[in-house]
Amino acid sequence: MAKSNVIPVALLRVSASFPSPAGDDLEDEIDPIAWVVRHPGSTFWWRVEGDCRWDVGIRDGDFIAVDRAGKRRLGRAVLTVVEAQ
């Protein structure tokens, strides 16, 4: 089984200018990968090359999660791999 990516999260908002001395007062934990990955067994990570999806926020060098079990729906991005022969 893969190592968990659970990260502790404080429920309080903090100022970005001064570190809070009460920063260890954590309320809950989250797993940010679970927000992105619905089907771990069919999800692959790809690095984007080029800016052809700039309009939807996908930039050159970004990592994207590609779920082969995902359903095609209006508004979702689809990755197509074309191999030249």
Side-chain angles (χ1 to χ4, degrees):
M1 178 175 264
K3 183 180 175 186
S4 174
N5 294 310
V6 175
I7 299 171
V9 161
L11 295 179
L12 303 172
R13 295 189 185 267
V14 296
S15 171
S17 62
F18 181 76
S20 171
D24 58 344
D25 184 23
L26 302 175
E27 297 289 333
D28 203 358
E29 292 183 337
I30 61 168
D31 182 355
I33 299 299
W35 289 350
V36 177
V37 177
R38 290 194 173 122
H39 306 102
S42 62
T43 300
F44 302 89
W45 293 90
W46 292 65
R47 184 180 293 271
V48 173
E49 182 176 303
D51 288 322
C52 66
R53 295 306 321 230
W54 185 270
D55 58 326
V56 294
I58 301 174
R59 310 285 200 271
D60 183 52
D62 286 353
F63 280 101
I64 57 172
V66 179
D67 184 353
R68 293 184 65 169
K71 304 293 183 200
R72 291 177 292 164
R73 293 196 181 131
L74 186 62
R76 285 190 176 174
V78 177
L79 174 69
T80 305
V81 178
V82 179
E83 295 184 46
Q85 294 187 13

